[in-house]
Amino acid sequence: MRHIAIVGTGPAGYYSAEAAQKLFGDGVSIDMIDRLPVPYGLIRFGVAPDHQSIKNVARRYEKVALSDNVRFVGNLTIGGQISIAELQDLYDAVIIATGAPHDRELGIPGADLPDVFGSAAFVGWYNGHPDHAEVDPPLDGTHVVVIGNGNVALDVARVLSKTPDEFAGSDIVLHAYEELEKAKTEHIALLGRRGPHQIAMTPKELGELGRLERAAPRVDPNDLPEEGADALLEPGMRKSVTFLREFAAIPESFRADKTVEIDFDFFAAPVRIEGDGKVERVVVERTELDADLRSVGTGETYTIPASMVVTCIGYQTPEMEGVPFEHGRGRFANDEGRILPGLYCVGWAKRGPTGTIGTNRPDGYAVVDLIAEDIGEGAGKAGRKGLDALLAERNVEVVTFRDWKKIEEAEAERAREGSPREKFVAIEEMIAARD
Ligand code: NAP
């Protein structure tokens, strides 16, 4: 029997488990460990609450979770109640699938002022992540600055712009729904340090921005390259840029009854965030592209008002004691997924925060192929029995998948009308719901 532990139960974790099941059949026993009492990581806490069709991929993960040789071990912190080295002693292979839950740092003066939030915190707040329940964004201000030109920046701008009706069918948590209902947002500046051809936004997400009830996007036509240049772009990017061209052509009459403007500010790098005790404005430097398409400052600066700033500039993986780390890239040091003998990583923990949820599938299958090469039939390790003994010795009570199903049921029962669930936000509430 091969014993595998997977740390993290988001997409990368579940695709790895699925791959191991397919490859080893009954010859594998898999424990999927999460520090939270609830599974699915990024699907629950990262994917936007109004993107339920994407969240539905959890059904596929549930099929894996319900099979006999896979077990969910929730509410167990690796590096807290048990160390990674202890896991390695118990399992033939340990796969780290913990994603990249921390914000990349902006590193400019004023970035630590109150009311400057990283996207992990802000997205975590509206998605009900227990770590970010206390985030208190000042939505009574009118001007929001969103830094970054990726899909997370689009998610944040869209969520800030939607009317309560537009959240119908979503699972946005009540505390965020109620605050957003009262929000006074009028202007959202989306700062991109490069140009329209360098965005990291995908067409579906950009298209949504053009169909909002009370908000309209604005693109300055002067920022757009000549139309002929779009021919050189790959098809997805070309489609995205076509949306930007459409936004640039929106007539003023269309904006007349819109109360929120989403302003794409290209060639704009934030250099300083200022304010008296809290954010009040962002100083921005105009940029241009060098021959390698990197942004370089022109020396010209201007100031935009800001009642709140959300940085959406990517994420990083937190370090784990005893696990080699690649600091420059914010991920575990690894060779195609191998970290050390018996220790592997997948997903964002392996390659950094890029790609879609589906990108994790080949990643999971590839790491399991490596494991098959490395561990043969297994070395007779103690596996889950050994883990249970250790946890009993330490009086650690974990959350099972059956417990999770009870939590899930309770969340569905208390959902607002039309919403699939009202998530429990506090860990204690989650645990109480299974009892
Ligand atoms: P991302 O796609 O890497 O975009 C980060 C953006 O931040 C880029 O525009 C980048 O500009 C900019 N940036 C980085 N450092 C900066 C700095 N110091 N100052 C100003 N701008 C800076 O990251 P993300 O938006 O966080 O998304 C993470 C991943 O999740 C991506 O793969 C994304 O596609 C995926 N995602 C997908 C969906 C979806 O499919 N619906 C939704 C959300 C997220 P440069 O290009 O100049 O570096």
Side-chain angles (χ1 to χ4, degrees):
M1 177 60 77
R2 301 159 187 88
H3 295 284
I4 299 181
I6 301 177
V7 184
T9 65
Y14 269 107
Y15 285 122
S16 304
E18 180 188 284
Q21 273 191 316
K22 283 222 166 110
L23 190 66
F24 301 128
D26 293 339
V28 68
S29 166
I30 304 164
D31 278 352
M32 304 199 57
I33 299 169
D34 205 297
R35 76 182 173 93
L36 294 175
V38 294
Y40 308 139
L42 188 85
I43 302 297
R44 180 176 168 107
F45 297 117
V47 172
D50 56 344
H51 281 173
Q52 288 299 315
S53 58
I54 301 180
K55 287 188 192 263
N56 281 343
V57 72
R59 291 194 196 137
R60 176 176 177 153
Y61 305 155
E62 181 172 290
K63 262 195 197 157
V64 175
L66 288 171
S67 41
D68 288 343
N69 54 355
V70 176
R71 183 172 78 152
F72 173 72
V73 185
N75 207 31
L76 178 63
T77 304
I78 305 304
Q81 291 138 313
I82 176 167
S83 72
I84 199 90
E86 285 171 320
L87 273 192
Q88 284 179 266
D89 284 344
L90 293 171
Y91 295 85
D92 296 299
V94 176
I95 306 176
I96 302 179
T98 46
H102 288 186
D103 285 302
R104 195 177 281 159
E105 279 172 27
L106 184 60
I108 60 172
D112 53 354
L113 276 173
D115 300 339
V116 178
F117 304 97
S119 54
F122 191 70
V123 171
W125 170 71
Y126 63 63
N127 259 333
H129 194 297
D131 289 355
H132 305 298
E134 304 306 320
V135 169
D136 187 14
L139 297 174
D140 53 344
T142 52
H143 282 63
V144 180
V145 173
V146 176
I147 299 173
N149 265 185
N151 279 328
V152 171
L154 285 181
D155 281 348
V156 166
R158 190 182 68 255
V159 165
L160 282 167
S161 306
K162 279 196 162 182
T163 60
D165 283 353
E166 288 176 291
F167 283 114
S170 81
D171 66 351
I172 188 162
V173 288
L174 191 62
H175 64 229
Y177 178 82
E178 287 178 345
E179 288 303 308
L180 286 164
E181 200 174 9
K182 294 183 284 185
K184 301 272 192 301
T185 311
E186 289 173 10
H187 188 270
I188 300 170
L190 274 178
L191 294 191
R193 61 181 171 181
R194 298 193 289 157
H197 274 193
Q198 287 76 40
I199 55 172
M201 297 163 166
T202 44
K204 179 180 162 285
E205 287 64 29
L206 257 177
E208 283 176 274
L209 228 53
R211 297 189 297 272
L212 295 169
E213 223 169 278
R214 69 171 166 206
R218 182 187 288 278
V219 169
D220 181 346
N222 296 318
D223 284 338
L224 291 164
E226 268 188 35
E227 209 161 335
D230 294 2
L232 298 172
L233 300 172
E234 58 86 19
M237 187 65 168
R238 199 179 317 137
K239 213 168 167 190
S240 291
V241 173
T242 303
F243 277 117
L244 294 179
R245 293 192 185 282
E246 283 175 24
F247 297 165
I250 291 176
E252 288 308 312
S253 56
F254 178 83
R255 300 179 191 285
D257 54 348
K258 303 285 185 185
T259 54
V260 181
E261 177 161 279
I262 304 171
D263 189 8
F264 285 79
D265 197 352
F266 290 112
F267 304 106
V271 289
R272 207 163 54 248
I273 302 176
E274 294 179 342
D276 188 5
K278 66 185 228 8
V279 55
E280 288 172 27
R281 67 197 88 84
V282 180
V283 179
V284 180
E285 182 175 17
R286 241 330 134 231
T287 64
E288 55 192 18
L289 298 181
D290 68 8
D292 297 321
L293 301 179
R294 283 179 308 218
S295 74
V296 268
T298 61
E300 182 199 338
T301 59
Y302 58 100
T303 299
I304 46 179
S307 40
M308 165 170 119
V309 173
V310 187
T311 66
C312 304
I313 59 170
Y315 298 108
Q316 48 186 333
T317 298
E319 289 187 58
M320 225 181 237
E321 204 186 325
V323 183
F325 197 77
E326 201 181 333
H327 286 275
R329 304 183 74 166
R331 63 185 194 189
F332 293 108
N334 72 93
D335 177 14
E336 301 289 322
R338 286 188 177 104
I339 304 179
L340 291 169
L343 188 62
Y344 305 81
C345 56
V346 277
W348 283 4
K350 168 190 160 193
R351 59 190 156 79
T354 59
T356 62
I357 287 159
T359 316
N360 293 298
R361 189 173 178 273
D363 245 35
Y365 279 71
V367 83
V368 168
D369 284 343
L370 296 183
I371 290 171
E373 269 175 38
D374 295 350
I375 70 172
E377 303 281 311
K381 294 215 177 190
R384 65 174 58 161
K385 274 197 189 138
L387 179 69
D388 288 349
L390 199 61
L391 296 180
E393 211 176 274
R394 292 181 189 172
N395 278 326
V396 177
E397 203 194 327
V398 299
V399 169
T400 66
F401 202 76
R402 188 179 297 180
D403 293 335
W404 151 244
K405 292 300 290 177
K406 283 192 205 157
I407 299 170
E408 188 184 39
E409 208 179 303
E411 289 186 338
E413 268 168 23
R414 63 192 215 126
R416 294 185 304 276
E417 207 189 325
S419 170
R421 64 190 67 80
E422 182 59 52
K423 292 177 195 167
F424 293 110
V425 178
I427 290 179
E428 309 77 64
E429 280 183 315
M430 297 173 186
I431 292 178
R434 64 108 196 240
D435 293 332

